Amino acid sequence: RKEVEQDPGPFNVPEGATVAFNCTYSNSASQSFFWYRQDCRKEPKLLMSVYSSGNEDGRFTAQLNRASQYISLLIRDSKLSDSATYLCVVNPDMYSGGGADGLTFGKGTHLIIQP
Amino acid sequence: DVKVTQSSRYLVKRTGEKVFLECVQDMDHENMFWYRQDPGLGLRLIYFSYDVKMKEKGDIPEGYSVSREKKERFSLILESASTNQTSMYLCASSLLGVSAFGNEQFFGPGTRLTVL
């Protein structure tokens, strides 16, 4: 059964600190991975894609560990505006042929940056 | 920029009413999706469509139907609304197929539906 698991938090972090959270996935054939950000009462928006061994975008670093089946998101020098819910999203085997086995969303990790 | 719009931000309906939620995207995307999002349950896929007049059931299709008569428009229909369908409904679209590598989904602002 496909699953994406995240710690729901909340993570309360002081401004300027570094914070990291993980996401584990159960489908070992999963091919691509994403982090989405969702602000309160807003729609999810893509934050980063994670395709191979990981990637970095400014203060954000996403890493993939295929052997242990987890991805992580690291936020450095956190800002008040980083407060949001971060959704881990996993795409199954690209040859699965579609159907209901589409993107699988984690339930999200709630992050609160405190001044 | 991709824009996905939904017909209403907030909607209040009564039990038993037929409810239409409309979604329009302006980037000629092939694929469109309807999700509902509930506290503690995350995003759950209701239905999706990979082409005009085509539809596929998601994880929780019961009590819902969909219509895609035009490429840019995907409608979610609650045939007879019930209180357990009170939720946030999110529409999304993507250019690539559901299982294609790198298929970012773009979401609409959501419709918060309350069924009394």
Side-chain angles (χ1 to χ4, degrees):
Chain A
R1 181 170 181 270
K2 60 179 182 182
E3 282 186 353
V4 176
E5 300 287 341
Q6 294 183 254
D7 182 340
F11 284 53
N12 289 282
V13 176
E15 190 177 7
T18 296
V19 59
F21 28 84
N22 290 341
C23 160
T24 60
Y25 60 95
S26 59
N27 183 351
S28 60
S30 297
Q31 289 294 315
S32 56
F33 311 86
F34 309 87
W35 283 104
Y36 277 68
R37 171 195 168 125
Q38 186 172 23
D39 293 302
C40 186
R41 298 186 175 274
K42 299 279 190 178
E43 72 274 21
K45 293 184 179 179
L46 181 68
L47 176 66
M48 296 180 75
S49 300
V50 188
Y51 290 133
S52 54
S53 59
N55 52 298
E56 186 174 315
D57 182 4
R59 298 181 295 109
F60 298 83
T61 301
Q63 292 194 318
L64 168 66
N65 185 317
R66 285 191 183 275
S68 301
Q69 294 183 208
Y70 76 85
I71 64 173
S72 62
L73 179 66
L74 180 81
I75 306 174
R76 288 179 298 277
D77 188 24
S78 55
K79 312 290 185 191
L80 295 176
S81 58
D82 293 334
S83 297
T85 297
Y86 291 84
L87 304 174
C88 175
V89 185
V90 175
N91 191 22
D93 181 357
M94 63 186 295
Y95 299 111
S96 70
D101 294 323
L103 293 182
T104 302
F105 287 79
K107 295 176 183 176
T109 296
H110 188 39
L111 175 65
I112 301 170
I113 305 299
Q114 296 175 328
Chain B
D1 280 352
V2 175
K3 192 165 185 182
V4 181
T5 57
Q6 294 182 228
S7 51
S8 306
R9 292 300 301 273
Y10 300 93
L11 207 53
V12 180
K13 296 291 182 181
R14 296 203 175 276
T15 301
E17 282 193 77
K18 190 168 186 176
V19 182
F20 292 87
L21 302 182
E22 303 284 340
C23 175
V24 177
Q25 50 92 6
D26 66 358
M27 285 300 291
D28 203 34
H29 282 177
E30 303 292 333
N31 308 289
M32 297 187 73
F33 310 83
W34 275 106
Y35 296 88
R36 64 178 283 179
Q37 187 174 32
D38 301 287
L41 297 177
L43 275 155
R44 294 181 290 169
L45 182 64
I46 304 171
Y47 266 97
F48 70 98
S49 168
Y50 52 89
D51 201 354
V52 175
K53 296 191 185 297
M54 305 302 288
K55 60 185 179 184
E56 292 281 347
K57 292 180 179 179
D59 298 318
I60 51 163
E62 296 78 19
Y64 303 94
S65 61
V66 290
S67 172
R68 190 150 181 218
E69 296 297 317
K70 294 184 178 181
K71 191 176 185 179
E72 67 271 18
R73 188 180 298 270
F74 192 35
S75 302
L76 180 70
I77 303 152
L78 286 66
E79 296 291 342
S80 177
S82 63
T83 55
N84 62 13
Q85 292 179 309
T86 292
S87 186
M88 169 69 90
Y89 289 88
L90 289 157
C91 174
S93 72
S94 71
L95 178 62
L96 301 176
V98 171
S99 294
F101 196 76
N103 56 332
E104 177 186 356
Q105 291 190 12
F106 296 87
F107 285 85
T111 296
R112 190 167 291 278
L113 172 67
T114 302
V115 182
L116 301 176

